[in-house]
Amino acid sequence: MFGGLNIAGTSTVSLNNCLIRNNVDSGIETHDSSCNLTLWHCTIVANGDRGFRQRAGTSTITNSIIANNSADGLRRDSGTMTHTYNLVYGNSDNY
């Protein structure tokens, strides 16, 4: 897998003002129920699969752009995802 950021195990990650783009696979993925991710003012664009995939855990995405990814812009398989004030467009499926 050649994703941008894979978060696993007991992790708390905060990303602010970041750019995640042009990855072969997903831009960001969380993998475990104990993962906690906060994105604020980030751009996730032009990835080969999903922009953001939450396999498990908790995520909060605010004031971000998720655009032009080959599959879903935002995908939640399990866990809790809160997303507010984002631009999500141009993905194969936005949600």
Side-chain angles (χ1 to χ4, degrees), residues 33-81:
S33 62
S34 54
C35 292
N36 294 295
L37 173 67
T38 301
L39 294 176
W40 186 73
H41 279 223
C42 291
T43 299
I44 304 170
V45 62
N47 293 288
D49 197 19
R50 293 166 180 86
F52 174 69
R53 181 177 188 179
Q54 178 180 305
R55 293 179 184 262
T58 302
S59 61
T60 303
I61 304 166
T62 308
N63 293 333
S64 295
I65 299 169
I66 298 98
N68 300 322
N69 297 286
S70 294
D72 308 309
L74 295 173
R75 177 174 173 158
R76 182 184 63 85
D77 297 340
S78 179
T80 303
M81 178 188 292

